[in-house]
Amino acid sequence: MTGAPDAIVIGGGHNGLVAAALLARRGMRPLVLEARNHAGGMLGDAEFPISPMPFALRPEICRALAIDVATRPMETIVASPLNSLSGTLRVSGSRLDGGSPQQAEAFRQLVERLARQAEALSGMLLRAPPRLDGAGPRDLLALAGTGWKLRRLGKVDLRDLLRIALSNVHDLVEDELGLGLPGALLAMEATLGGAMGPRSPGTVLTLLYRMASNGGRRMMPVGGPGALTQALAAAVTRAGGEIRLNAPVERILVEGDRAAGVALSNGEIVRASLVLSSAAPRTTLLDLLGPGHLDAEWVRRCRNMACTGMVARLDFDLLAPPRLAGGEVLEADQRLVVAADAGTVETAFNAAKHGKLPDDPVMEACYDAGSRRLRVSVQFIPHSPRGGWTEANRQMLETSVRRQLGFVLAGFEDSVTASRMMAPADIETAYGIPGGHWHHGELRIDQMLMLRPFDGAAGYRMPVEGLYLCGAGSHPGGDISGAPGFNAANAALAARRH
Amino acid sequence: MVKPTQGAPRRRIAPQVIPQVITGLEPGPFHARIAALNHQHAWTNWMGFASPAVLDSVEFEYFAIRNQTTLFDISPMCKYAIEGPDAERVVNRLVTRDIGRLSPGRVTYAIWCDEDGQVIDDGTIFRLADDCFRLCCQEPQLAWLSDIAWGFDVTIRDVSREIAALSLQGPTSAALLRSLGVKAIEALKPFGIASIRIGECEVDVSRTGFTGDLGYELWMRPPDAARVWDRLMAAGDNWGLRAIGYQAVEMARIEAGFLLPKIDFLSARSALRTNRPSTPFELGLDAMVDLAKPHFNGRRALLRLAGERPARKLFAVEIERDKPAANALVYHRRKREVGMITSALWSPTCKRNIAYAWLDAPFGQTGTDDLWVEIYLQREIRWERRMARCRIVDKPFFVHQRRRQTPPANM
């Protein structure tokens, strides 16, 4: 990069990189400031990626950034820790193997219907959320477009969508699939990364959110999460942007109610009139900017954002690739979901809700053959368990996870040589995310669309001129879609044109 | 006699008797003294305290404010201590005017707004030291202050019950304090604060009040309240000192041009309908808003509102003839309804029929002619309707040069 930057992007996670790459491709000179020693944020740490199984970027974003990340779909293996031999299903998209033909048919019908409904809603993802006040003709046109797509679902699908949209995923799968593993999978899909149980109202909406990307199919970039990070970082530098690692931002500078740059924690000042922050909304607004630049009501709404995460990450070093109880090896393009049914997912949530570690944790896992590590995301681990994250609590968590995995993987216990753990509180500390929440804020109906990250703060543009939120805390939210970064950069570019 | 039925043994459940919570009014620190003088037995509810509406005659009490000196218990006011290294930043974040210009030992009138630039309340701010402020206002603000102060190094305490206060107002008020040997008042300018002694009691005196005339407010510890009262009353005979009730204060308040929340405007925190709160510009308090200072609550909204014409505005009006026009509607050309009156009074001192009126734009702002007030009069059980011409005038209706004179006049 030559010359001083004219835009600063705080945080080099995938959303920060997407935002920087788009700004650079539109002729700006963005500087990405990343606190850690690697780009890619929660999926960028090659040693210990926090979210090891990303969904692929939206294809529209890949086109706009001219990047080509080869991905392949992952097959999901759902295994019940209660009944390991008969309790295993293989799921690929809407196709379900290993169960009865009736089960497979019901699953196919439900997943295909949800995918159609999610697709109709997905138009909202790559646009700024509709405004509650003073919607312009463009907003109304965009809303009308989504309305038209919804109408084209047809009477049956639309009526069904309206019926289930605000209901809970537990009831949905119980009605449509009955008890058992297929329901366990959808209950996990709907709740993974958040702090709501399958019986919490609105979890069908989070399921639809997941289904809106790739029809709900999990994708893995060829070469792992690192390949995605590298492609995005390369897109930034290729277009004239710069990425600086080990450069934690301490404060956003404001002059005359306009963003003027940032101060790094080593005291260095970097000036730019445009600052995009992919840090969590609370971190950006209350720590980096400071409440003194914001109205008290705004600060209160920001403080009260629901953003307590419930995912713990554990890595197990293994002597040999893990084998399922039936004897097959868990391949690199397979992920393992461990849960018996939607009810056991809810039971795990109930414990976490009251600050207890679940007796029978539910989780998803994948195996990285290169490092010989099984990477496990354990869902419904409380952020602040009773007594805090003592050695005893950590031990209890690891023991219960190993026990559950021992039920579904043959000889697992004997194969483990080492393990590491990041509880939600550790993720909070390491990545500066309040609550350690994957999505920087719970994805639920009162924190979605024009209410994301919170009422009044939607639309990426912050009250201080030239400051934008571009992280997962903003619409449309978490998972590796890149959409918040993409939308925020577009909003910033549109404001500069005026 | 009814015998207990056979079968399961009956358990006696002793009901836990909780004495009923008393929901009446609380006696304030001066209550015993005021009650002895309250020949009308007329009390009103002021923040849960029994406050006298009128002690014997509102006319006597009003004229005592204007011609002698008066004592009114203002202890029920809400009072908050804001202290700590960030106290100035917090107060500046709260109010719309620049508090950096307020020196220690001085008081100022201020308003504060919500994020939409709508007024929450008004009050007086005492700067007791560099990092120590006291806020006095009509409505409870602790929750709002906690929101404002979040993230700042400051302590906020509700000191409403820790401070008893008296308003000593009237042309002879300085003479009365002088006769008690209070030297500090000679140099005390309007909106100044001084520490004095009345008898054995330590009292803070501020040259503030709501009458538009010479007057003081006295701040003391509640255990000293009765003694201070007695000292003032004992010395007061020569100066025509009279304890007064709320009704007389209200008359002087309107004359002096002060607005009252819940009467003249509604706090943005208590309004339910979105068009009920008002901006400082609608209230005519533009001078209270310093848009040049760094961010304060509601600044961005006020910046936008400053460039727009207010949809309605509060004006001081004078109405022909003598009948007060409280709650009357205002018409243009006797036909079109364009506003309403809030506070109204036949001002005995100004000899004018005065009021505050809300007028929808553009009335009052550009078109000021041909405005009429519809007054309903009851004359010996029969209602009559009168259309009276009204015109817009400047505030305040009454202010005396005595108010500013330092040292104060010895009337």
Side-chain angles (χ1 to χ4, degrees):
Chain A
M1 192 173 81
T2 53
D6 51 11
I8 290 165
V9 177
I10 301 171
H14 76 282
N15 275 313
L17 295 176
V18 166
L22 189 65
L23 293 177
R25 288 185 63 81
R26 297 285 185 274
M28 298 192 68
R29 291 187 307 278
L31 170 63
V32 180
L33 294 168
E34 166 56 48
R36 296 175 66 95
N37 61 4
H38 58 84
M42 287 202 283
L43 64 126
D45 187 348
E47 284 295 296
F48 199 80
I50 302 303
S51 23
M53 278 184 288
F55 288 80
L57 281 189
R58 300 284 307 178
E60 299 90 330
I61 296 175
C62 293
R63 274 200 300 278
L65 304 184
I67 55 173
D68 187 19
V69 186
T71 55
R72 52 169 201 272
M74 296 183 85
E75 186 188 40
T76 300
I77 293 165
V78 198
S80 163
L82 301 179
N83 192 350
S84 57
L85 269 181
S86 63
T88 304
L89 294 179
R90 288 167 182 275
V91 177
S92 195
S94 63
R95 185 192 160 97
L96 180 143
D97 294 311
S100 68
Q102 293 87 341
Q103 243 181 350
E105 178 57 16
F107 187 79
R108 184 188 66 77
Q109 281 191 13
L110 175 61
V111 168
E112 285 178 0
R113 196 177 77 213
L114 289 170
R116 283 195 303 274
Q117 292 164 334
E119 171 57 28
L121 290 170
S122 69
M124 309 257 243
L125 298 182
L126 286 183
R127 267 197 296 268
R131 296 173 49 148
L132 284 176
D133 57 325
R138 284 172 69 102
D139 299 313
L140 294 176
L141 205 66
L143 265 184
T146 301
W148 173 241
K149 280 180 88 173
L150 285 169
R151 195 68 196 81
R152 280 187 51 195
L153 276 175
K155 202 187 282 180
V156 174
D157 272 11
L158 181 58
R159 196 158 57 195
D160 183 65
L161 175 63
L162 294 175
R163 181 177 66 84
I164 64 171
L166 296 181
S167 66
N168 69 76
V169 71
H170 185 282
D171 286 0
L172 177 73
V173 298
E174 202 173 41
D175 285 352
E176 306 276 340
L177 306 176
L179 301 172
L181 288 176
L185 174 62
L186 293 187
M188 283 294 278
E189 294 285 25
T191 55
L192 192 72
M196 292 192 293
R199 280 187 189 275
S200 305
T203 37
V204 169
L205 208 55
T206 45
L207 178 61
L208 287 167
Y209 177 77
R210 285 250 151 84
M211 305 283 297
S213 298
N214 308 310
R217 203 172 283 130
R218 285 289 177 99
M219 308 293 279
M220 178 64 93
V222 176
L228 176 63
T229 303
Q230 282 152 23
L232 288 172
V236 175
T237 45
R238 197 170 56 229
E242 191 191 339
I243 301 168
R244 267 174 72 183
L245 304 178
N246 302 310
V249 170
E250 189 162 276
R251 172 161 75 79
I252 295 168
L253 305 177
V254 179
E255 283 168 12
D257 216 20
R258 303 180 67 94
V262 297
L264 305 186
S265 47
N266 65 8
E268 187 187 334
I269 304 274
V270 186
R271 302 188 66 87
S273 61
L274 181 60
V275 177
L276 285 82
S277 174
S278 62
R282 233 153 84 170
T283 309
T284 304
L285 296 169
L286 301 185
D287 298 341
L288 301 181
L289 182 64
H293 294 290
L294 299 166
D295 289 334
E297 297 97 320
W298 181 285
V299 171
R300 190 202 313 124
R301 290 194 295 267
C302 185
R303 278 157 54 199
N304 292 343
M305 254 188 90
C307 59
T308 305
M310 283 196 176
V311 183
R313 277 274 295 108
L314 284 92
D315 268 8
F316 295 102
D317 291 359
L318 301 182
L319 286 171
R323 284 178 184 282
L324 295 164
E328 321 88 312
V329 171
L330 184 68
E331 303 287 351
D333 56 358
Q334 288 177 326
R335 76 165 168 149
L336 175 67
V337 170
V338 182
D341 56 25
T344 59
V345 182
E346 179 71 16
T347 307
F349 168 66
N350 282 341
K353 184 170 68 177
H354 296 293
K356 287 190 287 192
L357 295 170
D359 295 331
D360 303 309
V362 293
M363 64 201 80
E364 69 167 20
C366 62
Y367 181 63
D368 178 26
S371 57
R372 293 190 167 190
R373 279 184 187 145
L374 188 70
R375 306 204 190 276
V376 188
S377 301
V378 191
Q379 178 64 9
F380 299 128
I381 301 306
H383 172 269
S384 315
R386 283 183 202 164
W389 278 109
T390 55
E391 208 41 59
N393 271 336
R394 287 177 190 275
Q395 196 55 53
M396 196 191 292
L397 172 60
E398 183 175 337
T399 307
S400 61
V401 171
R402 285 172 96 144
R403 192 184 62 239
Q404 291 286 85
L405 286 170
F407 287 136
V408 298
L409 297 175
F412 177 73
E413 275 293 342
D414 302 332
S415 182
V416 175
T417 56
S419 72
R420 279 176 307 158
M421 171 191 303
M422 272 185 117
D426 304 328
I427 298 174
E428 172 171 16
T429 315
Y431 288 89
I433 304 163
H437 199 295
W438 269 13
H439 310 321
H440 294 193
E442 189 69 20
L443 267 175
R444 56 180 206 207
I445 186 71
D446 64 340
Q447 294 193 158
M448 278 184 176
L449 287 167
M450 57 290 221
L451 296 177
R452 190 163 186 88
F454 50 88
D455 184 18
Y460 314 102
R461 201 171 171 171
M462 293 296 103
V464 172
E465 192 81 32
L467 177 64
Y468 290 79
L469 290 181
C470 70
S474 291
H475 172 77
D479 288 345
I480 316 298
S481 71
F486 183 75
N487 293 355
N490 271 325
L493 289 163
R496 281 178 86 83
R497 283 195 294 271
H498 288 143
Chain B
M1 205 180 116
V2 180
K3 285 184 179 173
T5 48
Q6 296 294 310
R10 287 177 59 155
R11 255 188 334 152
R12 283 177 66 89
I13 300 169
Q16 196 190 354
V17 179
I18 302 166
Q20 193 188 326
V21 175
I22 295 163
T23 53
L25 300 179
E26 215 178 316
F30 301 99
H31 187 79
R33 300 294 187 273
I34 298 169
L37 298 169
N38 194 344
H39 306 304
Q40 293 282 355
H41 301 288
W43 300 96
T44 59
N45 181 346
W46 183 6
M47 283 303 300
F49 286 96
S51 176
V54 52
L55 298 175
D56 49 4
S57 139
V58 66
E59 289 80 9
F60 278 142
E61 291 171 18
Y62 166 80
F63 282 107
I65 296 176
R66 290 293 173 227
N67 299 320
Q68 301 145 235
T69 189
T70 56
L71 214 44
F72 180 62
D73 175 14
I74 53 169
S75 309
M77 288 231 302
C78 297
K79 299 175 280 285
Y80 302 95
I82 304 168
E83 295 164 357
D86 283 341
E88 181 182 313
R89 289 176 67 197
V90 167
V91 177
N92 236 343
R93 174 168 164 69
L94 171 75
V95 301
T96 58
R97 74 187 312 163
D98 186 0
I99 225 67
R101 293 163 145 189
L102 184 69
S103 321
R106 301 284 302 161
V107 186
T108 190
Y109 173 70
I111 52 170
W112 48 100
C113 294
D114 70 0
E115 61 180 342
D116 300 318
Q118 309 290 333
V119 176
I120 290 175
D121 202 356
D122 64 345
T124 45
I125 291 169
F126 292 64
R127 187 163 202 170
L128 304 173
D130 265 336
D131 55 357
C132 176
F133 293 82
R134 187 189 298 153
L135 172 68
C136 297
C137 52
Q138 281 293 337
E139 303 203 352
Q141 298 291 335
L142 193 61
W144 180 246
L145 291 173
S146 323
D147 272 355
I148 287 281
W150 189 90
F152 291 89
D153 186 2
V154 73
T155 33
I156 293 180
R157 277 185 314 127
D158 186 343
V159 293
S160 302
R161 306 287 171 116
E162 295 170 26
I163 298 168
L166 285 171
S167 182
L168 179 75
Q169 303 285 325
T172 61
S173 54
L176 168 59
L177 289 176
R178 227 174 241 132
S179 75
L180 285 171
V182 178
K183 301 274 188 299
I185 59 159
E186 305 307 335
L188 192 63
K189 291 181 181 159
F191 294 108
I193 312 168
S195 294
I196 60 167
R197 272 177 178 281
I198 291 179
E200 299 301 303
C201 308
E202 286 173 8
V203 175
D204 281 343
V205 58
S206 60
R207 192 168 164 185
T208 45
F210 295 93
T211 59
D213 202 333
L214 180 62
Y216 299 90
E217 287 170 330
L218 307 171
W219 314 86
M220 67 211 80
R221 284 184 288 268
D224 294 340
R227 273 185 290 168
V228 171
W229 177 281
D230 292 342
R231 272 310 270 253
L232 291 167
M233 278 302 192
D237 258 3
N238 286 343
W239 317 105
L241 178 64
R242 184 172 200 116
I244 61 168
Y246 166 77
Q247 287 178 8
V249 173
E250 173 68 358
M251 291 171 71
R253 188 273 297 178
I254 298 171
E255 288 180 336
F258 290 98
L259 305 180
L260 198 63
K262 283 190 179 153
I263 302 289
D264 297 310
F265 68 93
L266 198 57
S267 164
R269 303 281 284 169
S270 51
L272 298 177
R273 295 166 176 83
T274 51
N275 65 350
R276 289 303 188 272
S278 18
T279 70
F281 310 123
E282 290 172 350
L283 292 171
L285 298 174
D286 308 42
M288 296 278 155
V289 182
D290 184 354
L291 290 172
K293 77 169 182 171
H295 184 73
F296 57 88
N297 216 71
R299 179 176 177 272
R300 295 181 190 109
L302 289 168
L303 213 52
R304 179 172 47 75
L305 289 165
E308 295 171 6
R309 185 180 73 177
R312 52 189 198 129
K313 241 183 130 167
L314 189 70
F315 292 96
V317 296
E318 187 177 338
I319 297 156
E320 66 175 7
R321 303 183 66 180
D322 62 343
K323 293 293 182 254
N327 307 319
L329 293 176
V330 183
Y331 292 85
H332 182 237
R333 294 186 176 154
R334 292 168 162 258
K335 276 259 187 286
R336 179 172 164 201
E337 194 184 311
V338 297
M340 55 164 269
I341 303 282
T342 54
S343 304
L345 171 76
W346 165 259
S347 163
T349 304
C350 308
K351 302 283 184 279
R352 292 158 80 190
N353 192 14
I354 60 175
Y356 298 135
W358 277 108
L359 296 180
D360 299 336
F363 298 98
Q365 301 184 47
T366 52
T368 56
D369 287 344
D370 222 353
L371 294 172
W372 297 80
V373 175
E374 183 183 39
I375 303 170
Y376 285 82
L377 311 166
Q378 202 193 34
R379 285 175 157 172
E380 296 190 292
I381 78 162
R382 191 164 294 176
W383 283 100
E384 290 175 17
R385 174 172 164 269
R386 174 187 286 176
M387 288 298 259
R389 202 177 264 281
C390 87
R391 63 189 180 87
I392 288 155
V393 297
D394 290 332
K395 270 199 317 184
F397 302 100
F398 174 89
V399 63
H400 200 280
Q401 55 155 1
R402 270 190 303 263
R403 197 181 78 86
R404 302 209 62 83
Q405 203 178 324
T406 310
N410 209 25
M411 298 277 289

